[in-house]
Amino acid sequence: MPEIKFETEESASDTLPEDFEPYVKEWFNGKFPGLSAPQRHSFDLIHEDKNSLICAPTGSGKTLSAFMSVLNHLFEMGKNGELDDEIYAVYISPLRALNNDIQRNLQEPLAGIKQTAEELGYDVPEVRSAVRTGDTSDKERREMVDNPPHILITTPESLGILLNSPKFRENFRNVKYSIVDEIHSLCENKRGVHLSLSMERLEEMANTSPTRIGLSATQAPIDEIAKYLVGYEHNQELYEKEAQDGSKVTASEEAEPEDFESRGCHIVDVAASKEIDLETVSPVKDLINTPGGEIREAMYDQIHNMVENHKSTIIFTNTRSATERIVNNLQERFPDYYEDNIGAHHSSMSHEVRLDVEERLKKGELEVAVTSTSLELGIDIGSVDLVLQLGSPKGVARGLQRIGRSGHQIGETAKGKMIVTDRDDAVECSVLAKCAKDDDLDKIQIPTRCLDVLAQQIVGMACNKRWDIEHALNTVRKSYCYRRLDREDFENVLTYLAGEYELEDQNVYRKIWWDHEAGLMGRSGKMTRVIYMTNIGTIPDESGYDVKTRSGDFIGQLEEEFLDRLTKGDIFTLGGKTYEFRYAKGMKVFVDAKPQKQPTVPSWYSERLPLSYDLGIDIGRFRKDVAEQIRLGAGDDAIIQWIMHNYYLDENTAHAIFQYVKQQQNYMGKVSDHKDIVIEKYVDDDGRQNYIFQTIYGRRTHDALARIMAHMLQKRIGSNIGMVIDDNGFILVTPRRPIDIDRLIEQVCECDLEEELKAAVKKTELMKRRFRHVGGRSLMILRNYQGNSKTVGQQQMKGHFLLSVIRNQHDEDFPMIKETYREIMEDAMDIKHTKEVVEGLESEEISYEVKDQRGAPSPFSHNLLLQGSTDTVKMEDRKERLKQLHEKVMESIED
């Protein structure tokens, strides 16, 4: 039985495979001093046609790790006169820019090997590679049909189109290799779900079973990513039994499906082979009493000094707005130095501007690039000496990915500094740095059973040929993401696509025909192919919402994601003023001015990356460990040295962390972790009653918990409950009346969490927006039809009407409503870990304690409490408010 197998040092080789072509060996050995860490395994594995997942840092020769054996095989075929005009290798990456890099980087070995072969007297034809993405011109596309490349470089979306191109798909009949680059960034979202089905469709239509090759940066769980890469094969014996006697072979969530088995994969995990020089630093020793202006000046001085001491630097922020702010402030403070050698790079900028920054950085013309997330992946930007991370990257793997952009050459050390100006960030970055150095990674979650992506791909399948339903289901279930797909869900999707839900009056027409008796399906009408080809993909269109008062005054614009957090009655800030959200219609948000109200939703919420659950747990343990050192009376200096010795941070950061934990310990008599929750009741200066939950499970889990609790409280007391949600906890803002927290937690433990969360989000803007996204992916809401593009506003209005009609005519089990709930609970939020927390509370493995704080909330609550007022309070005033809360705590401790 094939298995997922980790390669060991014993299986490594320091030389190229013995039966490589002589001219391939000659070219490689003349070009490189030896094999890099991943190449010592991958060359032999791929040469032997074994599925392989290569997990290695940037700059370790990953590209040739995947391609060298492929190139050898193609040149060997050419020498033997077997190389036809068809595609033998498909390379897929998430970024068009990365595709262009690979194409450029392949030209040297392709030309070099051919030249070496000719010099040694071998007659070999040209091995061609070409890029096919949305940027490919019509002329280039026509040329590819007539003269296809041997190596096709593409994206998941373009591959989906090519599989349905009648002429082009014939070129895939003898494909031998499928290479997925940056697989970790794809498999954790619906682009990866779409790709997993495309790979199964490719496998089904080809005469071969392509060798699958994955390239990944540091990521976990790597064995699950390997299973995602290779997919599954049917256990034919059990499958036939199911078909004959009508039994249903099922599996638990933890076990693999009994009637499937993994195709097997060899994992080359050499991610830890690259040296990392990583440190958390603070510009000042005291992050509370030092004025905000001084901290900022010290931070920019620190950044500038580091930049001056290195040839090239990438600065990572966590938001697009922070990226622009850093560039502007550096140019204002040091105008002579940063006149034209610094550039911003983020997703809101044009493709041309981003490309210019990449090219200038690669050529050495740009000394500093400031970015949010857009330079994380392996775009070729040349040699970078230093990576600066401002604040926490929110995940260990993401931090390693960013730091790994430096020290790009084989054997070089990756160097990074994480700069913190906040005590929560100081704790978070210090723990993250230790986890990174220890290779202790947070785990990604791969979406499964996504019914909207399934619907889109079924339409694509039906466009190509008539399908036996059992064969179609079997093909779909070979995908890792659908290995546990219920037959009922599959058939409900077919029912929707076949128009049997009768939504024609809403202009939702059938895309396929389904002969129930014969067990067959196929395309319905010629327009189905056009609809599929012009609406393919999983990334939804986004746009800004116009904000107006109900009297018609225009206020400004909000990003779509921001509406995910809004419910009727929420207060938010726009243009420095506060407004109460009333309702949204189309792409318009209607509000009432509320100048005296404090915000309940910070405006930066939608941009910030969420803390991973695993890192949150590690942070809780770290805080507890420091508190234990304090309890044992080791002495201040000794504890600061203990922190510095066990973690990777400077003395300023160690001092700030020590003081933070010590104040919490002295004020509360304890420091909570992930198994010990403190709930503080506090009435703030505005008279709001706050229940502050000091949890450390990350924002996605907190979002689910807070919504469930708020929904329960709202039903009980009949009043709107405000929520403030962050990575380090959440707050329920309630009316000034007694709230029985013990009963609330008891109710949470007794309820069906998924059903309660469904009820909590049912009428929210989050539900409406996510339904539009699901409707677009499932081809229910078309972005393009008969040459006309639908605006986001038109799509949103369509989604509103459809959601209302479907709920009235059918029920919540309609497949695309079901998928919307799944996406909210599993992708936007984290219902899995929410269940773990609630199970811990129910079994008393997790304890909680309610504290009535009549003076000031504890230090761990200060940042969380001020999140809601971030937008209306100037940073200096917010800093002053933090200082006031701190002084109250210190006065209480000293008393």
Side-chain angles (χ1 to χ4, degrees), residues 515-701:
D515 186 329
H516 292 255
E517 189 172 329
L520 299 172
M521 72 167 185
R523 182 190 72 188
S524 176
K526 294 181 180 180
M527 279 302 297
T528 299
R529 183 185 300 279
V530 176
I531 288 171
Y532 174 79
M533 300 289 265
T534 56
N535 290 275
I536 195 171
T538 60
I539 302 173
D541 292 339
E542 298 282 2
S543 181
Y545 279 70
D546 287 342
V547 182
K548 293 186 173 185
T549 63
R550 288 194 284 177
S551 59
D553 295 331
F554 177 76
I555 306 298
Q557 278 203 328
L558 289 177
E559 289 185 2
E560 276 200 66
E561 275 191 49
F562 184 62
L563 258 71
D564 282 2
R565 285 285 300 118
L566 292 182
T567 55
K568 185 177 180 180
D570 271 331
I571 308 296
F572 67 93
T573 304
L574 188 60
K577 297 180 180 179
T578 49
Y579 299 91
E580 180 180 352
F581 172 68
R582 302 304 300 174
Y583 62 92
K585 187 175 182 180
M587 299 303 291
K588 292 184 176 63
V589 173
F590 292 92
V591 300
D592 290 337
K594 295 289 180 179
Q596 304 304 317
K597 290 275 190 174
Q598 288 293 321
T600 58
V601 184
S603 66
W604 44 253
Y605 179 90
S606 63
E607 264 199 276
R608 284 185 57 181
L609 298 164
L611 177 74
S612 72
Y613 177 84
D614 296 322
L615 182 56
I617 299 300
D618 287 331
I619 290 168
R621 291 195 184 106
F622 170 63
R623 298 192 311 198
K624 198 84 165 181
D625 287 346
V626 175
E628 181 63 14
Q629 293 290 320
I630 294 169
R631 190 187 67 79
L632 293 173
D636 294 6
D637 291 339
I639 296 171
I640 290 172
Q641 290 302 314
W642 176 85
I643 296 172
M644 292 177 66
H645 178 74
N646 287 280
Y647 292 80
Y648 302 91
L649 63 167
D650 67 353
E651 188 171 357
N652 279 354
T653 311
H655 184 272
I657 291 171
F658 167 69
Q659 291 294 337
Y660 192 27
V661 177
K662 181 181 179 181
Q663 289 157 15
Q664 180 76 12
Q665 173 87 346
N666 290 343
Y667 190 63
M668 297 292 287
K670 63 186 294 188
V671 170
S672 60
D673 62 4
H674 62 289
K675 291 192 174 183
D676 180 16
I677 298 172
V678 170
I679 305 166
E680 297 184 80
K681 177 186 174 183
Y682 172 68
V683 178
D684 61 28
D685 292 346
D686 297 307
R688 300 183 301 178
Q689 182 169 268
N690 298 268
Y691 284 93
I692 309 168
F693 287 72
Q694 283 181 15
T695 46
I696 191 68
Y697 306 119
R699 194 195 322 154
R700 292 172 61 233
T701 299

Side-chain angles (χ1 to χ4, degrees), residues 213-465:
I213 304 159
L215 300 176
S216 172
T218 304
Q219 197 59 262
I222 196 67
D223 54 337
E224 288 301 307
I225 296 175
K227 291 176 184 177
Y228 162 87
L229 170 68
V230 299
Y232 290 76
E233 284 293 351
H234 248 153
N235 181 321
Q236 196 63 29
E237 183 180 336
L238 280 172
Y239 175 63
E240 288 172 357
K241 175 182 182 297
E242 178 182 346
Q244 288 169 5
D245 62 18
S247 62
K248 188 174 183 180
V249 183
T250 58
S252 68
E253 279 296 308
E254 292 75 24
E256 298 299 347
E258 294 176 29
D259 54 342
F260 284 82
E261 58 186 23
S262 170
R263 291 190 177 100
C265 186
H266 293 258
I267 299 175
V268 178
D269 188 0
V270 292
S273 63
K274 187 169 186 175
E275 289 294 320
I276 301 173
D277 177 1
L278 181 59
E279 184 184 30
T280 303
V281 297
S282 171
V284 298
K285 192 172 185 178
D286 188 340
L287 290 170
I288 291 295
N289 294 306
T290 306
E294 285 185 29
I295 294 177
R296 282 196 300 279
E297 289 295 331
M299 181 191 74
Y300 283 109
D301 285 343
Q302 191 173 47
I303 291 172
H304 180 61
N305 289 336
M306 290 177 181
V307 166
E308 275 193 312
N309 291 326
H310 295 84
K311 290 182 180 178
S312 57
T313 304
I314 296 180
I315 302 174
F316 279 99
T317 70
N318 285 339
T319 65
R320 296 182 294 274
S321 57
T323 295
E324 298 287 356
R325 187 168 62 248
I326 294 297
V327 172
N328 292 337
N329 283 335
L330 284 173
Q331 287 179 326
E332 286 180 6
R333 285 172 164 79
F334 310 99
D336 295 336
Y337 193 90
Y338 296 103
E339 184 176 356
D340 56 5
N341 68 341
I342 188 171
H345 191 289
H346 57 72
S347 58
S348 294
M349 303 174 73
S350 70
H351 170 71
E352 291 74 21
V353 172
R354 280 181 283 149
L355 187 62
D356 178 64
V357 169
E358 293 162 21
E359 290 296 326
R360 291 176 63 204
L361 195 60
K362 189 171 7 179
K363 293 175 182 177
E365 298 171 0
L366 203 64
E367 192 167 341
V368 185
V370 187
T371 182
S372 50
T373 60
S374 54
L375 284 178
E376 278 183 4
L377 299 181
I379 300 169
D380 185 6
I381 51 174
S383 180
V384 173
D385 300 323
L386 176 69
V387 169
L388 299 182
Q389 169 67 53
L390 304 188
S392 170
K394 297 296 179 181
V396 181
R398 185 182 291 113
L400 279 170
Q401 178 86 2
R402 292 178 174 184
I403 302 302
R405 301 301 278 143
S406 64
H408 195 276
Q409 301 302 313
I410 294 173
E412 287 186 359
T413 298
K415 185 176 182 181
K417 303 283 186 183
M418 292 190 284
I419 301 176
V420 297
T421 57
D422 170 272
R423 296 199 297 186
D424 282 329
D425 253 3
V427 172
E428 196 172 305
C429 287
S430 299
V431 174
L432 190 149
K434 180 171 176 57
C435 290
K437 294 281 283 187
D438 293 347
D439 204 29
D440 180 11
L441 306 180
D442 31 28
K443 299 176 181 63
I444 64 168
Q445 295 179 29
I446 302 174
T448 60
R449 294 177 287 192
C450 306
L451 301 184
D452 51 351
V453 177
L454 175 63
Q456 186 180 129
Q457 287 279 22
I458 287 175
V459 173
M461 292 164 68
C463 285
N464 280 355
K465 67 178 184 180

Side-chain angles (χ1 to χ4, degrees), residues 145-215:
V145 172
D146 299 329
N147 192 29
H150 303 115
I151 302 171
L152 175 70
I153 301 167
T154 190
T155 60
E157 292 77 15
S158 291
L159 177 62
I161 290 173
L162 294 174
L163 292 176
N164 274 83
S165 300
K167 293 181 180 178
F168 196 89
R169 69 169 181 262
E170 295 302 315
N171 295 313
F172 289 119
R173 293 299 179 187
N174 293 306
V175 66
K176 285 187 61 66
Y177 305 96
S178 296
I179 304 170
V180 183
D181 202 354
E182 305 288 358
I183 191 171
H184 56 283
S185 72
L186 281 170
C187 67
E188 62 181 345
N189 54 52
K190 285 190 174 181
R191 291 186 79 198
V193 177
H194 194 277
L195 175 61
S196 74
L197 280 179
S198 290
M199 288 195 293
E200 295 308 328
R201 291 180 59 197
L202 178 62
E203 180 107 13
E204 193 273 340
M205 72 168 55
N207 301 321
T208 58
S209 180
T211 300
R212 302 194 187 192
I213 304 159
L215 300 176

